[in-house]
Amino acid sequence: MRLQTRLILLIGTLLFVIIIALTFSFERMLVNTLQKNVGASALKIAKTVALMDVIKDAFDEDNPAAIIQPIVEKVRLETDAEFIVIGNREGIRYAHPLPDRIGKEMVGGDNGPVLNGESIISEAVGSMGPSLRGKTPIYDDHNQIIGIVSVGILLKDIHESAATYRNAMIFFAAIALTIGCGGAIAISNGVKRSIHGLEPKEIGLLYQEKRAILETIHEGIIAINTEGIITLANQTAIRLIDPLEKEEITGKHIRDVIPESRLLEVIKSGDAQFDQDLVINESMVVVNRLPIFDRQHQVVGAVSSFRNKSELLRLTEELTQVKRYTEALRSQTHEYSNKLYTIYGLIQLESYQEAMDLITHETDVHQNLIQFLLREIPDPMLGGILIGKFNRANELKVSLEIDKNSSFKDIPGDIGRNHLVTIIGNLLDNALEAVLAADRDPKTVKAFLSDAGDDLLIEIEDNGVGIADETADRLYEVGFSTKQEGGNRGFGLAIVNQAVQQARGTISYHSRSQGGTVFTVKIPKEMGREL
């Protein structure tokens, strides 16, 4: 037997015992009340009989019982009294429900106060058993006591009447408790099924675990019911919606918190939505929406998870940087391999002078570049990305020229190097792709970096295909690309734009008259922030 069922039965048994105890207490109070009311009623009947003239006059007759007995018996039957006994001052009966006891002496021993002129209610054991009596004297015309009227109800009748009420109460209480316990067991089993057989302690533990899990998730989570009321929101969601966390959003309508939310559409259709863009508090987020189904597969709510797109872009950029460095190393290795094979071939052909000239040229080019970078762009991350792109350009047969007037020494510490690497690396990648797509030679990309003045200046120039006017408005849009091949396009300039905004800078471009594009990035030295 389940714990809930045993508990319900135990409580029902305890309640039944309590009801029985209360019922017996009620019976005792009922008996007392009945005795008081029956006693008062019996005394009123006795006084009424004592005032009847025919009764008083019969005492002067030779055989009073012949006159009194029929009258009194009729009154007894009309009033439902158990007995009405009339006797003279000596206690000799003139009337009695049992005729054979007429003429005999009254019993009970409670006539004394009545013969002294009192009307009383008493309990005594008479010839018919224990009874409750109302007794009053009979006066003649001279106001002399000539007899006694005793009207009584047997005590057993009172107790039987009270016991009837008691038994009825116990019976109905038993039925009510049986129905109640049965209903409680049925409800308990239904609740047990609805909560998948879990105990209250287990439910509490699951709730705490769920809250802890929700708070460890970096994505915002919001759940609503079918009415659109928010039933759950983790701290990440609250911070995205209200960065100052001034108000509690749980209990509010979803449209009051996120006017553009489409969760109600999910509840209506029952269809999930994945990777949807949404603006929340001026931040672009990526949203997934899922309906919530009950055991009968009815939609009972919906849940939404969303994450700030800037975080996704930052993660994408971190992966891109790893890929970028990998490609740079691969390009450098490939380029050196080609040069080594060339030198090896020249030696085999005994063209020693040509081999020495090639070695000298390559050494001078790389040494000059390295020396220039160490002198003018001493930051190792920026120097590393430039060397990597230089090698990549050589591999692609593109001339990458770093302006000799470049200088990037005075970079404030609060400007993130990751942002600068992101900007320079992606702009150079776009420039390389642009010149490769153009049908012209030579293919040239130029880079100029300057820290003069109040701004950091980055200019990347190419002689590629340029930017069409119809695509200008969507240039920095995530996923948009003018290149059709491949599925991993449309992120470079979007990431650059995101990094520039985070550094509180600006980005612009203009087309060259002779073909190609120049991208210009300005980052204030005093306003740069790494977010």
Side-chain angles (χ1 to χ4, degrees):
M1 186 180 296
R2 293 180 176 177
L3 176 61
Q4 285 80 3
T5 302
R6 292 198 298 269
L7 184 60
I8 291 171
L9 293 177
L10 176 60
I11 294 174
T13 303
L14 291 175
L15 288 175
F16 188 66
V17 172
I18 292 173
I19 289 174
I20 290 177
L22 293 175
T23 301
F24 278 101
S25 299
F26 171 77
E27 180 188 11
R28 183 68 261 168
M29 292 187 292
L30 181 61
V31 168
N32 292 336
T33 301
L34 287 175
Q35 286 181 348
K36 184 182 292 186
N37 294 336
V38 169
S41 178
L43 184 57
K44 287 180 181 180
I45 296 172
K47 289 181 177 181
T48 302
V49 172
L51 294 174
M52 296 175 67
D53 292 335
V54 67
I55 299 296
K56 292 188 288 186
D57 293 343
F59 273 79
D60 295 333
E61 300 296 330
D62 293 336
N63 186 9
I67 299 172
I68 295 173
Q69 174 66 11
I71 296 173
V72 169
E73 188 62 17
K74 184 177 180 181
V75 173
R76 184 185 71 83
L77 294 175
E78 290 292 335
T79 58
D80 291 328
E82 192 70 35
F83 63 84
I84 299 178
V85 177
I86 295 179
N88 59 17
R89 287 183 59 85
E90 288 74 26
I92 302 304
R93 300 185 183 104
Y94 290 159
H96 195 282
L98 301 176
D100 60 335
R101 297 183 183 180
I102 297 174
K104 296 180 179 179
E105 186 176 353
M106 299 171 69
V107 297
D110 53 355
N111 286 342
V114 181
L115 293 175
N116 291 329
E118 296 182 25
S119 296
I120 64 172
I121 298 174
S122 67
E123 289 186 26
V125 179
S127 61
M128 297 181 70
S131 61
L132 184 66
R133 309 173 179 202
K135 308 189 79 167
T136 190
I138 302 173
Y139 293 91
D140 61 9
D141 294 338
H142 304 289
N143 203 31
Q144 297 295 317
I145 295 174
I146 59 176
I148 300 171
V149 180
S150 178
V151 178
I153 302 294
L154 295 178
L155 290 176
K156 70 175 184 177
D157 292 340
I158 297 175
H159 288 289
E160 287 177 358
S161 179
T164 300
Y165 285 108
R166 179 199 65 203
N167 294 336
M169 288 181 62
I170 293 175
F171 175 74
F172 287 115
I175 292 178
L177 282 175
T178 300
I179 295 174
C181 289
I185 291 173
I187 293 173
S188 173
N189 291 335
V191 172
K192 194 77 172 178
R193 286 192 298 271
S194 67
I195 60 177
H196 306 288
L198 297 175
E199 299 294 338
K201 184 177 181 181
E202 295 173 324
I203 295 174
L205 181 60
L206 282 177
Y207 175 79
Q208 296 298 331
E209 289 178 350
K210 183 193 73 171
R211 293 300 306 182
I213 292 171
L214 286 176
E215 297 308 328
T216 58
I217 296 175
H218 291 296
E219 292 187 341
I221 304 292
I222 287 182
I224 65 170
N225 58 21
T226 53
E227 303 299 323
I229 304 301
I230 298 175
T231 58
L232 180 147
N234 66 353
Q235 287 300 120
T236 303
I238 294 173
R239 283 193 295 268
L240 283 172
I241 295 170
D242 181 12
L244 300 180
E245 300 182 32
K246 295 180 179 179
E247 298 181 3
E248 175 61 47
I249 65 174
T250 304
K252 293 186 177 181
H253 196 278
I254 185 64
R255 288 287 171 82
D256 295 334
V257 178
I258 308 176
E260 297 81 11
S261 175
R262 299 175 62 186
L263 275 177
L264 293 176
E265 296 179 13
V266 173
I267 291 178
K268 185 177 180 180
S269 66
D271 298 327
Q273 299 177 359
F274 298 100
D275 299 329
Q276 302 288 314
D277 288 341
L278 180 68
V279 177
I280 297 179
N281 196 28
E282 300 182 357
S283 296
M284 181 66 72
V285 297
V286 179
V287 185
N288 294 318
R289 306 179 184 94
L290 292 171
I292 302 174
F293 297 96
D294 61 10
R295 296 167 67 93
Q296 286 73 39
H297 300 288
Q298 298 295 320
V299 178
V300 295
V303 62
S304 171
S305 64
F306 47 90
R307 188 165 186 176
N308 196 323
K309 185 174 283 189
S310 63
E311 295 182 7
L312 297 178
L313 291 175
R314 185 166 58 248
L315 179 60
T316 302
E317 175 56 21
E318 290 177 359
L319 295 175
T320 302
Q321 287 186 33
V322 173
K323 181 179 179 181
R324 190 177 296 131
Y325 284 121
T326 302
E327 290 179 348
L329 290 174
R330 183 186 61 80
S331 299
Q332 187 175 14
T333 301
H334 186 266
E335 184 70 11
Y336 283 162
S337 296
N338 289 335
K339 295 295 188 297
L340 287 175
Y341 284 129
T342 302
I343 294 170
Y344 179 70
L346 290 173
I347 293 174
Q348 283 188 323
L349 294 173
E350 297 182 356
S351 299
Y352 303 119
Q353 186 59 46
E354 287 79 358
M356 292 177 63
D357 292 342
L358 178 60
I359 294 172
T360 302
H361 177 267
E362 292 299 323
T363 301
D364 289 343
V365 170
H366 284 85
Q367 286 299 320
N368 291 338
L369 175 63
I370 293 173
Q371 291 298 324
F372 171 75
L373 293 177
L374 289 175
R375 183 177 66 254
E376 300 298 336
I377 307 176
D379 188 283
M381 292 185 64
L382 300 180
I385 193 65
L386 289 172
I387 291 175
K389 295 305 176 185
F390 182 83
N391 292 328
R392 175 61 175 164
N394 284 339
E395 182 182 13
L396 297 174
K397 307 305 180 184
V398 176
S399 174
L400 174 56
E401 301 175 8
I402 301 176
D403 196 302
K404 298 303 180 181
N405 295 319
S406 295
S407 179
F408 229 50
K409 303 175 184 178
D410 184 19
I411 303 175
D414 56 1
I415 295 181
R417 269 42 176 188
N418 288 335
H419 291 159
L420 297 176
V421 168
T422 296
I423 295 168
I424 295 171
N426 279 285
L427 288 178
L428 286 175
D429 284 339
N430 280 355
L432 291 174
E433 291 183 358
V435 297
L436 289 173
D439 186 17
R440 67 167 60 95
D441 288 311
K443 302 181 184 301
T444 305
V445 174
K446 296 180 180 180
F448 174 67
L449 302 144
S450 175
D451 57 7
D454 297 330
D455 299 324
L456 296 180
L457 179 65
I458 301 172
E459 284 188 356
I460 306 297
E461 177 183 346
D462 66 72
N463 64 344
V465 294
I467 297 174
D469 293 338
E470 58 270 18
T471 63
D473 293 338
R474 302 184 61 191
L475 197 60
Y476 304 115
E477 184 178 318
V478 175
F480 175 75
S481 176
T482 58
K483 309 170 186 67
Q484 300 300 320
E485 71 279 4
N488 190 24
R489 295 288 185 176
F491 291 97
L493 287 178
I495 294 174
V496 170
N497 186 49
Q498 184 74 28
V500 171
Q501 291 180 357
Q502 289 177 346
R504 304 297 190 267
T506 60
I507 181 172
S508 61
Y509 73 91
H510 67 271
S511 298
R512 299 168 69 246
S513 58
Q514 63 271 37
T517 309
V518 179
F519 276 91
T520 302
V521 174
K522 291 182 179 181
I523 300 176
K525 293 182 180 179
E526 295 184 359
M527 297 184 63
R529 294 290 183 269
E530 181 175 3
L531 303 182

